[in-house]
Amino acid sequence: MSESEILISAEKLVREFGHGATMVRALRGIDLQIHSGEFVALVGPSGSGKTTLLNQLGALDQPSSGELTVLGKNLNQLNKTQRSELRLHRIGFVFQAYNLVPVLTARENVEFVLELQGVDATERRKRAIEVLDELGLGKDADRRPEELSGGEQQRVAVARAVASRPKLILADEPTANLDTENAEALMTMMRRLHDEQKMTFLFATHDPRVMRHAERIITLQDGSVLSDEAKEHGAEHHTDLELT
Amino acid sequence: MNVSSQYALRSLMRSTTRTLLSLIGVGIGCAIAAVAVAWIKGESGMMAESTAMSGQGYLQVVPRGWQESRDTRLRITGDWKKLRKTIEGVPGITVVTPQVETQGLLGMGTKVQGVSLLGGDPKSEREIRRTIRAVSQGRYLQADDKNALVLGSELAKRLDVSLNDEIVVTAVAPTGEMNSSLLTLVGVVHSGSRSIDATVAHTNLNDAIHLGGRPGVERFAILVNEPKDVGPLAQRVERAIDDSKIKEIAKVDTLTWIQVNPSLVAAKKADAAFSNAIIFVIVLLVILGITSAQLTGVLQRGREFSALLALGMKRRTLWRLIFTEALFTGIAGAVLATVFATPALWYLSQVGVDYGAISGNESGMNMSGILLDPIMKADVGIWVIPFLLVLAIGATLIGAIYPAIYSLRIDPASILRARN
């Protein structure tokens, strides 16, 4: 684990849903630190709390208790607007189902987030084309999501996430809907962004293809951290959880 | 156009059937409202004109106290001729005619009819009174006529009189004594309304004053250039009268046709209120239709919106998106409303509806002694365009309020969790 800046710090993080007898404890006191420039996989079986934790770390949800600091901000002290600001300017999201706006082209999907950030029209267009070119989508810039393959759509989603050069990229099962070739290509591309631009990546996944690329694997089970292992890049990681 | 606006515009095209149905709803609703308003305006304008041209004028100068008491015995005494010239000198005034009405009896042989004998200035009276323009026999009164009488065709028929017959006219003087004169029938007029033709009995002003036994005139009926400006014009007339300081003139009031005919205006207001209620219901239906369509759009795009919220889009941006879609719908709806309304407005403003043909009375309809034009027309002007724009955009924006509020329920975290 590097000694660099701490981007995420969670202490005794708890998230409960429902009340009384129907209450579900999705996170049971998570302690976690993610440093700047890490490439981390968050693994575990379905229902282990991966997405719930990702929602917490991405300032999409409020913890029931515990302390959570992301990018130097104590999320417990931020209101909804401040959390939106944090996500908009400093966190990039990649979703399992891509979630591109279907009526906008690839370029417009990327531009839209830059427009939300207040980037002026000329600059956002330039940056959108640049990042799409970077990810090998230059020729597809004016195509709509329905005209793109799943792999291409996910690359557009990545372009949208990284266009504003955020410090932190959170990805929720980014390869779940992709075949092996596209999944591998996507991970290689994200790895390259990480290496070249020093972005911090955190993936919630149970896909071995993602884990293979991770430098650190945090395993969750029943809302708790089961293990937290650092590994050399490229080293194979095998756990029983891969097979779930 | 920025990406947000393109997003809003293209989102409308996503479900073309729904958008088209929404637009048709907005178009038809707003078109009906525009036609209804044009009709009410036309009716209002026609009523004002009909009232004025039935001899009452757009303005009246009456003795003070008449408005409250409606006492027909009150007179404007003193130098009323100078007063007339003063009023005529006010810019915007086109016709000023003095009038006197005397209740009396017309007798011919064994036949008698009670009438309200009107004395006036023949020249200006013809300008201000549409009901006497069609002379079916003889002629109308002339300025130098003495003891001459013009009757409505129905009244002449009931009295069984012919031109040059001498008719006994009897009125009661203020002293209670009977005043009688022999007036010669010089003409018969035909307004087209049997009930009005049964009441027309005109003589020259001096003869009417003599018969009534009261000096002075009962009122001045006034026509104006701009009927819509009668309020300010009435004030200008009052100021001109005050400034003239004509001696011996009793105090007078200047009233608009609305003040002279409160019951007529009340009937018109009731009519307009009914029409407005219908317009309100139509607009409400348009709003509900838009609310339903927009809400469906928001519900269908819950996942899309939740993803954008997750990316950092603020709620107010989502609201702006929803209202931008409503704005586009409103603008397109206004265009469609213009297309729908144009043929109807053209027909109603150019051809109109012939109530005379419907009622069988082709020349006019009598309403409280006022001869209404049987062909009613809508009042259409450039106002229709901003009206449709404001109505359509206003309705669609109001219709988008609930979907916008509903969008607050979209929780990016829970929706993404559920969908993944």
Side-chain angles (χ1 to χ4, degrees), chain B residues 220-298:
Chain B
F220 290 102
I222 300 165
L223 290 186
V224 302
N225 266 334
E226 288 296 333
K228 286 175 183 166
D229 296 336
V230 285
L233 203 52
Q235 290 174 354
R236 288 209 293 276
V237 169
E238 291 222 321
R239 271 201 301 275
I241 295 170
D242 288 345
D243 294 347
S244 68
K245 297 189 173 72
I246 303 165
K247 286 180 185 172
E248 298 169 26
I249 283 288
K251 287 186 174 174
V252 293
D253 287 319
T254 306
L255 307 178
T256 65
W257 71 275
I258 294 167
Q259 292 168 310
V260 172
N261 296 283
S263 58
L264 196 68
V265 173
K268 193 190 89 159
K269 277 185 179 168
D271 198 21
F274 180 69
S275 301
N276 287 336
I278 291 173
I279 292 169
F280 175 77
V281 170
I282 291 168
V283 172
L284 189 65
L285 290 174
V286 169
I287 289 171
L288 291 175
I290 290 296
T291 301
S292 169
Q294 286 265 45
L295 188 59
T296 307
V298 169

Side-chain angles (χ1 to χ4, degrees), chain B residues 191-419:
Chain B
S191 71
S193 164
R194 185 181 287 182
S195 53
I196 285 179
D197 288 339
T199 62
V200 173
H202 289 192
T203 186
N204 270 352
L205 192 65
N206 289 337
D207 293 334
I209 292 171
H210 170 72
L211 268 167
R214 289 184 176 83
V217 295
E218 190 174 336
R219 62 179 169 259
F220 290 102
I222 300 165
L223 290 186
V224 302
N225 266 334
E226 288 296 333
K228 286 175 183 166
D229 296 336
V230 285
L233 203 52
Q235 290 174 354
R236 288 209 293 276
V237 169
E238 291 222 321
R239 271 201 301 275
I241 295 170
D242 288 345
D243 294 347
S244 68
K245 297 189 173 72
I246 303 165
K247 286 180 185 172
E248 298 169 26
I249 283 288
K251 287 186 174 174
V252 293
D253 287 319
T254 306
L255 307 178
T256 65
W257 71 275
I258 294 167
Q259 292 168 310
V260 172
N261 296 283
S263 58
L264 196 68
V265 173
K268 193 190 89 159
K269 277 185 179 168
D271 198 21
F274 180 69
S275 301
N276 287 336
I278 291 173
I279 292 169
F280 175 77
V281 170
I282 291 168
V283 172
L284 189 65
L285 290 174
V286 169
I287 289 171
L288 291 175
I290 290 296
T291 301
S292 169
Q294 286 265 45
L295 188 59
T296 307
V298 169
L299 290 170
Q300 283 179 344
R301 285 178 288 165
R303 180 178 183 168
E304 194 174 305
F305 288 155
S306 70
L308 291 172
L309 290 169
L311 290 171
M313 183 169 80
K314 295 186 184 69
R315 298 279 174 178
R316 64 169 179 266
T317 310
L318 181 55
W319 280 36
R320 200 163 58 222
L321 201 65
I322 292 168
F323 283 114
T324 304
E325 285 178 23
L327 181 69
F328 285 138
T329 307
I331 292 168
V335 172
L336 210 59
T338 308
V339 172
F340 288 152
T342 299
L345 289 173
W346 179 86
Y347 183 85
L348 290 174
S349 64
Q350 299 301 311
V351 181
V353 174
D354 188 351
Y355 283 105
I358 296 167
S359 65
N361 193 353
E362 292 181 8
S363 299
M365 296 178 297
N366 178 18
M367 188 175 173
S368 305
I370 293 164
L371 185 69
L372 298 178
D373 193 329
I375 297 176
M376 191 97 79
K377 290 182 177 177
D379 179 0
V380 178
I382 195 70
W383 63 267
V384 173
I385 304 294
F387 174 84
L388 284 174
L389 264 175
V390 169
L391 188 66
I393 292 173
T396 50
L397 289 180
I398 292 170
I401 290 173
Y402 180 70
I405 292 169
Y406 188 88
S407 74
L408 290 175
R409 296 185 193 178
I410 296 174
D411 174 8
S414 64
I415 285 177
L416 291 175
R417 191 166 44 240
R419 298 287 167 87

